[in-house]
Amino acid sequence: MRISCRHAANVFIALFLALAVRPCLRSQATNYPDKPPVLLGAAWYPEQWPESRWDQDLTLMEAAHIDVVRVAEFAWSTMEPSEGNYQFDWLDRAIAAAARHHICVVLGTPTAAPPAWLTTKYPETLRWNEFDRRDEHGNRQQFSFTDPKYRQFAHAIAEQMAIHFGHNPNVVGWQLDNEYANPSFDPSAKEQFHRWLEKKYGSVAELNRRWATAYWSQTYDNFDEIPVRENDENPALLLDWKRFVSETWKNYSENQISAIRTHADPRQFITTNTMGWFDGFDEYTVHSVLDIAAWDDYIGSDKYDYVSNGATHDLTRGYKNKNFWVMETEPAFVNWRKTNTPLWRGQIRDMAWQAIGHGSDAVEYWQWRSAPNGQEEYHGVLVGADGTPVPDYAEIQQVGEEFAKAGPALAGTSPHSDAALVNDYDSRWAISFQRHSANFDPVGEMLAFYRPLREKSQSVDVISINAPFDGYKVLVLPGLNVISQKAADRLMEYVRNGGRLLLGPRSGMKDEFDALQPERQPGALAALLGGRVDQFYALDYDVPLTGDLGSGTANIWAEQLSTQSSDTKVVERYGVKGQNSGAPGAPGFGATGLNGWLDDQPAVLTRKVGKGRITYVGAWLDDALLDNITAGLLEEAGVQPILPGVPKGVEVCRRTGDGKTGQGKSVLILINHNSDAAHVSLPAPMRNLIGSQSTAVSTVDLPAYGVAVLAKE
Ligand code: GLA
């Protein structure tokens, strides 16, 4: 593929202008003066192997340019083999051995895997599922996240570890637990939920009012009567349960943080490893007490969808609004899917650089070496149980070499965006509780809006509704179903100050109690829009649309809109049966896709407000229409792509500098996600920091899954 690079001269001007107007400085996740700025790592389980074999493993790690290992996150039974009997000598030796190979350590607190003695002696520490069935030993995550006894043990092991390792110069950080996931429904959880509700509502009468419990005789006489469920309940209860779960994971974290912070050097960060779009709790709540964000980047399907994977990196970056770590990723394949197909040769490197391009400062593989036994014997690794490298080791070694080469240029840099997408857990939960249209997946709708935004601007932040909006030229809220007055006020101010706000379907329907707003959608924003939703419809067929954005279709969801103000413009309308003649199935043709209610009704509205604009999209639009609407908004807002005209499937990422170490830096990362070669022209000569040529180049040839990391001369 050969393309010419249009608007070349404007690119660098746009780049520096963009830098000049950014309001808030981002930063690297971690900045250790004595450690590489970009780290390659792996999960290492020394407790699974005889000590005599550690050095062989660490030698191979060093040869692969591995800088960091995460250890101990499931090693409770080795660290505390019986109650109060702490054994850290082996871990001291493992950390020291790693240091001899220039490998630093992230320590995991082992609380995702309590030992058998603990749960046997204190069965109240075990988790109950929603139907009151108690978990058993033998798997992991079998603990109750609320149980006071469990909290006591978790605090004690974290404290003992912090006393022991908190000043170890080779320990750079802490991972709390592992992939927080399942809430418990044991008696302590139920009791705490009831007290949480009592504190929130003050009186049961207020709760009855907010939840509208006269419906189906749900009226409660006291808080203890309230069921504790995560399904088939009043959605107001379900929403509060999710918030309670979020607060509980937060204070579960604080329990361990207080133990670690008291004894550990402040340079040691504290994080936990998260799971992308998982919606079990609100990540922003939990991250309010963590130092950096980290996630486990696994491809959950047969196909590596790089746009969707990039969106998850951006989501994670948004938890703390700064760079993050990929705490785990797959070396070629996992073991937990139906058919665990591998990544293609080259894609491991492609994924690693994508993580860095989106603001990760570390990429760690799970896991270093196959465990001798256990539930995950088939998982991808770098080294087999025999202790020798498997084929993907060489590709990861190449990644390590490249991180070492490009690291200094990337130090102090992070991605910066003019466009942001809002991720709101309350809204995602509220939609999921009552989808109305089975295919209305809130994350799918987020990604449908993210895709063209990313493609056209080449950089998107994914942020919380409570994050600062100023500095963003375009703000997209694909489904802000739950809207508080405070959020509405901030959004109105954003538009009045010149921002461009794009709202997706189902926006502004509910208040914070999941109650229907007294005004039609988009609730408090309807007046600013000068328009509203008259009715919503679930669809399982294509509905044609025509208008300024062109012709296309909607599916899954369509809202019948109306204008309430003369300066509110109808951008797109649903078709009319028999309006056009031609091939059946095409937009506006025949009976397919028309339900009568939507005929000729507005589907997309927009209104200019001073220099700002509010646009409401009332339907799940096809990709082409979403492309057009996004392109129009970005153009009006003056948002340029970082590198225009790159071939399809070539991703452009840019990290620019902030702070002392990053001042004036700008690094482009180009990744060819295609299975064939691509050619990219650069607007000015740049040096490929990981290429074989030492001089600056004006064009880059990227083989299949090829990567270039470019900096100005
Ligand atoms: C998760 C866990 C790891 C391991 C991997 C396997 O992300 O955190 O312990 O089980 O999955 O893919």
Side-chain angles (χ1 to χ4, degrees):
M1 282 180 269
R2 181 170 282 271
I3 53 108
S4 72
C5 187
R6 285 170 291 129
H7 317 303
N10 293 334
V11 168
F12 277 99
I13 301 168
L15 190 155
F16 288 111
L17 278 181
L19 283 180
V21 297
R22 293 257 51 90
C24 51
L25 290 183
R26 296 271 172 60
S27 60
Q28 274 189 250
T30 45
N31 279 306
Y32 298 108
D34 56 337
K35 307 284 178 237
V38 176
L39 297 109
L40 184 78
W44 181 42
Y45 298 95
E47 71 275 22
Q48 293 172 6
W49 298 99
E51 208 169 321
S52 55
R53 304 209 38 178
W54 291 354
D55 201 59
Q56 265 172 276
D57 277 316
L58 291 161
T59 305
L60 278 170
M61 283 188 212
E62 194 175 4
H65 304 271
I66 284 183
D67 314 291
V68 58
V69 284
R70 187 196 61 191
V71 298
E73 83 280 8
F74 298 118
W76 200 339
S77 63
T78 314
M79 289 190 286
E80 193 183 354
S82 56
E83 189 171 345
N85 164 22
Y86 297 102
Q87 300 289 336
F88 295 129
D89 292 2
W90 66 276
L91 193 48
D92 281 332
R93 292 194 299 277
I95 295 171
R100 283 196 294 279
H101 290 271
H102 310 107
I103 295 170
C104 62
V105 169
V106 172
L107 277 179
T109 65
T111 48
W117 61 257
L118 194 161
T119 50
T120 307
K121 188 166 173 197
Y122 306 100
E124 68 273 29
T125 60
L126 283 165
R127 173 181 176 265
W128 290 21
N129 76 8
E130 194 186 358
F131 306 104
D132 294 351
R133 186 179 179 280
R134 206 163 66 183
D135 279 0
E136 287 171 6
H137 197 80
N139 207 324
R140 55 181 170 179
Q141 299 179 317
Q142 70 272 35
F143 62 90
S144 156
F145 71 159
T146 47
D147 178 63
K149 195 68 179 174
Y150 197 68
R151 292 280 180 105
Q152 211 179 306
F153 276 106
H155 188 274
I157 185 85
E159 184 172 52
Q160 291 302 318
M161 287 178 79
I163 291 170
H164 205 89
F165 302 108
H167 305 298
N168 186 316
N170 209 40
V171 173
V172 293
W174 296 81
Q175 174 190 295
L176 305 180
D177 207 276
N178 192 80
E179 294 189 342
Y180 295 164
N182 300 322
S184 181
F185 295 81
D186 64 281
S188 72
K190 289 177 179 162
E191 164 67 15
Q192 287 177 34
F193 181 49
H194 290 148
R195 300 293 73 81
W196 185 90
L197 289 171
E198 192 166 15
K199 189 164 171 224
K200 173 169 178 175
Y201 291 97
S203 70
V204 78
E206 176 62 4
L207 179 142
N208 282 325
R209 185 175 80 79
R210 291 297 194 175
W211 291 13
T213 51
Y215 174 81
W216 287 0
S217 274
Q218 286 169 1
T219 314
Y220 300 107
D221 301 314
N222 64 67
F223 285 95
D224 294 333
E225 280 177 7
I226 296 170
V228 185
R229 314 279 292 163
E230 62 180 353
N231 286 298
D232 302 328
E233 258 299 337
N234 183 330
L237 182 156
L238 297 180
L239 195 58
D240 272 340
W241 169 251
K242 288 283 197 188
R243 289 167 176 151
F244 165 77
V245 169
S246 307
E247 289 291 331
T248 303
W249 282 121
K250 178 181 161 186
N251 56 49
Y252 179 86
S253 308
E254 285 172 318
N255 177 49
Q256 297 190 30
I257 292 170
S258 64
I260 296 169
R261 272 288 156 253
T262 311
H263 303 285
D265 292 341
R267 71 180 165 80
Q268 295 180 342
F269 68 77
I270 303 180
T271 188
T272 191
N273 51 339
T274 59
M275 297 187 284
W277 293 98
F278 172 74
D279 75 347
F281 54 87
D282 184 322
E283 294 287 5
Y284 303 110
T285 303
V286 172
H287 280 82
S288 65
V289 296
L290 300 173
D291 298 321
I292 68 168
W295 81 289
D296 296 345
D297 184 4
Y298 293 103
I299 306 301
S301 70
D302 273 340
K303 201 175 162 291
Y304 164 42
D305 174 346
Y306 76 91
V307 180
S308 146
N309 202 59
T312 321
H313 287 307
D314 295 343
L315 169 78
T316 309
R317 194 175 70 246
Y319 298 157
K320 296 297 292 180
N321 272 322
K322 66 176 186 178
N323 287 4
F324 58 95
W325 278 32
V326 169
M327 196 60 94
E328 297 180 12
T329 190
E330 58 189 84
F333 52 87
V334 296
N335 70 317
W336 40 261
R337 287 173 37 217
K338 209 167 161 205
T339 304
N340 297 291
T341 50
L343 293 168
W344 289 68
R345 191 187 275 275
Q347 278 185 325
I348 298 177
R349 175 169 172 256
D350 163 323
M351 278 184 69
W353 275 110
Q354 192 198 31
I356 305 302
H358 284 256
S360 185
D361 287 338
V363 174
E364 292 182 79
Y365 291 91
W366 197 94
Q367 59 176 331
W368 167 250
R369 182 175 183 177
S370 313
N373 207 328
Q375 277 93 322
E376 297 174 299
E377 289 174 283
Y378 279 89
H379 201 282
V381 289
L382 280 80
V383 163
D386 68 337
T388 65
V390 299
D392 61 28
Y393 173 94
E395 189 168 322
I396 294 169
Q397 186 175 41
Q398 184 186 349
V399 171
E401 252 170 54
E402 294 174 348
F403 280 8
K405 281 188 193 162
L410 288 160
T413 65
S414 53
H416 295 273
S417 315
D418 288 321
L421 188 89
V422 170
N423 166 52
D424 181 53
Y425 287 93
D426 282 357
S427 298
R428 282 170 53 192
W429 292 327
I431 291 174
S432 294
F433 298 151
Q434 304 183 78
R435 281 202 181 185
H436 198 64
S437 183
N439 289 331
F440 201 111
D441 167 22
V443 175
E445 179 67 324
M446 297 278 292
L447 292 175
F449 277 89
Y450 173 90
R451 214 170 275 279
L453 203 59
R454 169 76 198 180
E455 234 168 57
K456 294 187 191 319
S457 69
Q458 296 174 340
S459 189
V460 176
D461 286 352
V462 178
I463 59 169
S464 146
I465 188 70
N466 300 314
F469 302 148
D470 39 313
Y472 293 117
K473 296 178 179 167
V474 173
L475 194 60
V476 179
L477 294 89
L480 192 71
N481 193 238
V482 171
I483 187 168
S484 65
Q485 189 57 48
K486 185 177 150 222
D489 290 344
R490 292 184 62 230
L491 292 169
M492 288 190 277
E493 196 196 338
Y494 170 75
V495 174
R496 290 200 181 100
N497 288 339
R500 275 127 195 118
L501 181 70
L502 176 61
L503 294 162
R506 304 180 81 149
S507 290
M509 189 180 194
K510 312 279 194 73
D511 71 9
E512 313 94 289
F513 301 94
D514 210 4
L516 291 168
Q517 295 275 9
E519 67 251 271
R520 293 282 177 81
Q521 285 170 255
L525 297 174
L528 190 76
L529 177 67
R532 65 175 214 183
V533 176
D534 285 342
Q535 188 54 286
F536 55 83
Y537 305 100
L539 305 177
D540 61 359
Y541 47 82
D542 284 350
V543 165
L545 293 116
T546 50
D548 295 354
L549 303 173
S551 297
T553 55
N555 205 326
I556 302 177
W557 196 265
E559 289 165 352
Q560 180 181 342
L561 310 183
S562 64
T563 56
Q564 314 290 311
S565 169
S566 56
D567 59 343
T568 300
K569 200 171 164 233
V570 178
V571 180
E572 208 62 23
R573 284 180 185 277
Y574 300 104
V576 175
K577 186 175 176 180
Q579 188 183 46
N580 300 313
S581 59
F589 293 106
T592 315
L594 295 169
N595 69 7
W597 304 109
L598 291 167
D599 286 7
D600 204 27
Q601 296 301 308
V604 179
L605 301 179
T606 194
R607 189 182 194 196
K608 218 162 174 307
V609 182
K611 284 190 181 152
R613 176 180 294 286
I614 176 167
T615 302
Y616 187 94
V617 174
W620 190 312
L621 300 179
D622 66 28
D623 291 348
L625 287 174
L626 279 173
D627 253 32
N628 294 347
I629 199 160
T630 311
L633 270 184
L634 292 174
E635 196 186 321
E636 186 183 80
V639 180
Q640 308 270 355
I642 295 165
L643 191 59
V646 292
K648 205 169 170 35
V650 172
E651 185 175 9
V652 178
C653 305
R654 181 179 59 199
R655 288 179 47 154
T656 49
D658 0 76
K660 262 196 223 149
T661 38
Q663 206 75 52
K665 283 181 179 176
S666 176
V667 180
L668 280 187
I669 297 173
L670 304 184
I671 309 159
N672 179 18
H673 298 289
N674 299 300
S675 53
D676 50 5
H679 179 89
V680 179
S681 301
L682 303 172
M686 296 180 99
R687 205 160 59 80
N688 186 357
L689 305 176
I690 60 168
S692 47
Q693 229 175 312
S694 57
T695 52
V697 294
S698 300
T699 59
V700 185
D701 287 303
L702 296 165
Y705 312 120
V707 180
V709 180
L710 301 153
K712 272 190 293 129
E713 274 292 83

